[in-house]
Structure formats: structure tokens, C-alpha cells
């Protein structure tokens, strides 16, 4: 048994009835040399009682922290700041890991060269260990930033991200008063500007994927957390270096203004000419989900796609 280098971080809020599935997957790991750090974001159910039961069973090393409700991104900041290991990975309370996930992370990390621009590991999420949510990793690519993985290599789907803790401490989530959501991409985009990740073409994280429910809920989440949402879209404009990516980022920003029904953020953006020439694409980006929803309703979407 080697030194514990890994913290599995779980933010949770009122998940006392389902977190046992995540717990069981951690207890059943082929390598249990890790710390399970749980940050309870102000649960009002029996989560604390359930976790205390887990701790008493003494099957794995558990650290439990309870704080005032502030949102997953605030819980993530707490977890990063309290983490005492080299590596940090987030596993949500309603998801779980494949039984060899911890060992796969250790094995991959041992082979990663110790260079400053490598920030961690990217593996796959799936609905089973044989079926990823989206595509498999691009062929013949061992290292990539998270941004390039999607933008350059056209990967689609969800990933498990294992980061060096000291790098995450440099990129804590921004916190906006009165808001409880900031997309994880805010942090990952910034890390991508300076760091690459080791790619693992294997499913290590298992979860359910309900696309329609996520899309529907996410729209309301954005409207309830306008500052965080527009901060993310503005950051995408600021980090865009090529004309094509800048054009895309501005049009997505304008579409975001339409989604949250805010003329304030549109006026706040200074890029006058780009705001004009990107308007047609912005309207399409805004309209496309509504059009897709309508086509699905009348059973026309699959026919048109084919």
C-alpha cells in the first residue's frame, strides 16, 4: 500500500436517501487508498446521520464537512481548500465509480511525466463501463486540454476530471451574491489556457443521463443565476484568440442574453461590430433548442436528422 495521493470529493445537498450507492462503490474499490471528502451544502434531510453511520463502519477514510447552503461551486471551493492530497476528483452523490476506478487513476498517474503544464487526468463517464455518455476519446491523442478536447478534437460527452489539487487552488470558482450556480467550465476553461491533461479512454464514472430533463432544468438555472452564467459567456469571449472562436463566443453570449431575457448584458458588451455581424448566428443558437423541442413533440426530429 502506497501513500494516499487521492481525495474523492462529493458535494451533497439533501441526498441522504441515495448517497449510499456512491458509498458502496467506494467501499468496493479494488484500491481503497483514498480519502472521501464530503461537503454537505446545508442539507435539511438525514444526510448527516447517514454519513455518520458510514464513518462508524470504518470501511474507508471519510471526512465530513457541513456548511451553509451556497451551491455546488461554493462546496467545491471548500473541498479544494480542505483537501490534503496531491490529486482531487469530484464524484456527485447520486453517481458512482467503476470498481477499478481508483486503481486506474493511480496507475495512469504513475506514468504521467512530472511537468508543470500537466494538470491531471481525463477519463470517461458512462451509463455502463462499456458505454460512454457521448464518444470515446480521440484516437492517437494522449494529452489535451479540456477545451481542445471538445473544440479541436470534437469530443462529445461527459468526462471524469482528476486534477492536481495545487492547480485547482489557483482557480477557485467565483461567487456571486444571491446566486447558487456557476458552471464548472468557468474553471476548466481557465486551466485549459496553461495546462494539458492525460487522456484515459475508459469509463471510470457511472451515472444516469437524462438529456431532456437536464436541458429543461438548465435553462431555469441560468435564469436564476444570471451573473454566473454571463460571467462564463464573457470569459469565453475574453479567452478566444482566433477570429472564428471569437465570433462563436460573441454569438453564444448574445444567445445567452436572449435566454435569460436580459438587455442589460447585451448593452454591457462593448464589441459593437461583432455584436452586429454575429446576430444571425446568435438567433439560430437561441432558436435551435426550441425548434428541436417542437420537432420532437410532433415526431419529426429523427426523420429530418436522418
Amino acid at each position: 500500500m502506497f501513500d494516499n495521493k487521492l481525495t474523492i470529493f462529493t458535494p451533497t445537498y439533501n441526498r441522504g436517501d441515495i448517497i449510499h450507492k456512491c458509498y458502496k462503490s467506494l467501499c468496493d474499490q479494488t484500491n481503497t487508498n483514498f480519502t472521501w471528502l464530503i461537503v454537505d451544502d446545508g442539507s435539511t434531510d438525514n444526510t448527516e446521520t447517514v454519513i455518520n453511520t458510514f464513518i462508524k463502519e470504518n470501511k474507508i477514510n471519510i471526512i465530513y464537512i457541513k456548511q451553509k447552503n451556497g451551491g455546488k461551486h461554493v462546496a467545491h471551493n471548500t473541498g479544494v481548500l480542505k483537501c490534503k492530497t496531491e490529486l482531487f476528483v469530484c464524484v456527485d452523490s447520486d453517481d458512482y465509480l467503476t470498481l477499478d476506478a481508483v486503481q486506474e487513476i493511480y496507475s495512469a498517474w504513475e506514468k504521467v511525466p512530472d511537468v508543470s503544464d500537466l494538470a491531471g487526468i481525463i477519463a470517461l463517464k458512462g451509463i455502463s463501463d462499456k458505454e460512454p455518455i457521448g464518444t470515446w476519446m480521440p484516437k492517437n491523442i494522449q494529452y489535451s486540454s479540456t477545451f481542445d478536447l471538445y473544440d479541436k478534437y470534437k469530443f462529445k460527452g461527459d468526462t471524469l476530471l482528476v486534477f492536481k489539487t495545487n492547480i485547482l487552488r489557483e482557480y477557485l470558482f467565483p461567487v456571486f451574491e444571491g446566486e447558487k450556480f456557476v458552471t464548472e467550465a468557468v474553471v476548466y476553461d481557465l486551466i485549459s489556457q496553461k495546462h494539458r491533461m492525460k487522456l484515459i479512454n475508459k469509463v471510470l464514472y457511472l451515472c444516469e443521463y437524462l438529456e431532456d430533463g437536464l436541458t429543461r432544468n438548465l435553462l431555469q438555472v441560468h435564469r436564476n443565476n444570471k451573473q454566473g452564467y454571463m460571467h462564463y459567456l464573457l470569459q469565453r469571449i475574453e479567452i478566444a484568440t482566433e477570429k472564428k472562436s471569437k465570433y462563436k463566443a460573441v454569438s453564444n453570449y448574445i444567445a445567452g442574453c436572449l435566454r435569460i431575457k436580459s438587455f442589460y448584458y447585451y448593452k454591457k458588451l462593448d464589441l459593437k461590430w461583432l455584436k452586429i455581424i454575429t446576430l444571425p448566428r446568435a438567433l439560430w443558437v437561441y432558436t435551435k433548442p426550441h425548434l428541436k423541442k417542437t420537432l420532437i413533440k410532433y415526431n419529426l426530429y429523427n426523420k429530418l436528422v436522418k
Side-chain angles (χ1 to χ4, degrees):
M1 187 70 70
F2 39 83
D3 291 338
N4 175 16
K5 295 183 178 181
L6 178 67
T7 289
I8 297 174
F9 160 69
T10 296
T12 188
Y13 176 72
N14 288 346
R15 291 292 184 268
D17 58 335
I18 59 174
I19 197 171
H20 63 278
K21 196 171 186 179
C22 179
Y23 171 64
K24 186 178 186 305
S25 84
L26 299 183
C27 291
D28 292 343
Q29 288 295 307
T30 58
N31 186 337
T32 56
N33 199 27
F34 59 85
T35 296
W36 190 23
L37 173 58
I38 304 163
V39 176
D40 184 342
D41 193 43
S43 293
T44 57
D45 66 352
N46 66 334
T47 294
E48 185 169 1
T49 300
V50 170
I51 301 303
N52 283 331
T53 300
F54 295 163
I55 293 172
K56 289 178 182 178
E57 290 178 358
N58 199 31
K59 292 182 177 181
I60 55 175
N61 181 33
I62 301 174
I63 296 175
Y64 175 72
I65 299 171
K66 188 165 186 177
Q67 65 181 28
K68 180 181 178 181
N69 179 251
K72 181 179 177 179
H73 63 301
V74 177
H76 191 280
N77 286 349
T78 299
V80 168
L81 293 173
K82 295 293 184 179
C83 180
K84 298 184 183 301
T85 61
E86 179 184 2
L87 299 175
F88 182 97
V89 58
C90 179
V91 178
D92 289 338
S93 55
D94 50 352
D95 298 329
Y96 55 104
L97 296 177
T98 61
L99 300 186
D100 62 345
V102 171
Q103 184 56 52
E104 287 287 339
I105 290 170
Y106 273 122
S107 296
W109 191 244
E110 287 177 355
K111 300 173 184 177
V112 173
D114 186 16
V115 292
S116 60
D117 76 320
L118 286 174
I121 297 168
I122 305 179
L124 297 169
K125 290 185 180 181
I127 58 176
S128 75
D129 60 352
K130 304 299 183 184
E131 187 176 357
I133 297 174
T135 63
W136 293 96
M137 291 293 184
K139 293 182 178 180
N140 303 319
I141 304 297
Q142 294 189 53
Y143 300 95
S144 171
S145 68
T146 55
F147 188 88
D148 282 349
L149 180 62
Y150 290 91
D151 192 65
K152 181 178 179 180
Y153 300 116
K154 308 306 177 185
F155 171 84
K156 296 183 184 299
D158 288 344
T159 58
L160 170 70
L161 297 167
V162 184
F163 285 105
K164 290 180 180 177
T165 306
N166 63 341
I167 289 178
L168 285 179
R169 289 199 181 105
E170 297 176 17
Y171 298 94
L172 296 176
F173 282 95
V175 178
F176 300 95
E177 186 175 355
E179 296 192 357
K180 296 184 179 180
F181 177 81
V182 175
T183 177
E184 294 169 346
V186 166
V187 167
Y188 303 156
D189 281 354
L190 291 178
I191 292 176
S192 289
Q193 302 308 297
K194 296 182 179 180
H195 300 282
R196 299 176 297 151
M197 307 280 280
K198 168 67 177 176
L199 306 186
I200 302 178
N201 196 25
K202 186 172 183 178
V203 174
L204 300 182
Y205 185 115
L206 300 172
C207 56
E208 294 182 2
Y209 184 63
L210 304 173
E211 182 177 2
D212 291 338
L214 176 64
T215 302
R216 186 167 56 248
N217 293 333
L218 198 56
L219 176 59
Q220 192 57 49
V221 167
H222 288 157
R223 288 176 177 171
N224 291 341
N225 300 274
K226 295 179 180 180
Q227 296 178 83
Y229 180 47
M230 298 311 296
H231 172 87
Y232 158 66
L233 293 175
L234 180 60
Q235 180 178 282
R236 277 272 166 122
I237 295 173
E238 293 172 343
I239 65 178
T241 56
E242 300 177 357
K243 289 183 179 179
K244 184 178 179 180
S245 57
K246 182 79 73 173
Y247 174 90
K248 181 179 178 181
V250 173
S251 60
N252 288 342
Y253 180 95
I254 296 172
C257 293
L258 293 171
R259 288 192 189 102
I260 65 172
K261 301 178 180 179
S262 174
F263 190 58
Y264 165 77
Y265 287 100
Y266 178 80
K267 291 191 298 181
K268 191 175 180 181
L269 187 64
D270 293 329
L271 304 173
K272 182 178 179 181
W273 293 110
L274 267 178
K275 286 166 67 174
I276 295 173
I277 65 175
T278 58
L279 188 57
R281 184 183 185 277
L283 291 172
W284 169 243
V285 171
Y286 170 72
T287 305
K288 186 178 179 180
H290 301 284
L291 178 60
K292 179 180 178 181
K293 184 177 179 181
T294 301
L295 292 174
I296 290 174
K297 180 179 179 181
Y298 293 102
N299 298 317
L300 296 173
Y301 180 74
N302 290 333
K303 295 179 181 178
L304 290 175
V305 170
K306 291 178 181 179

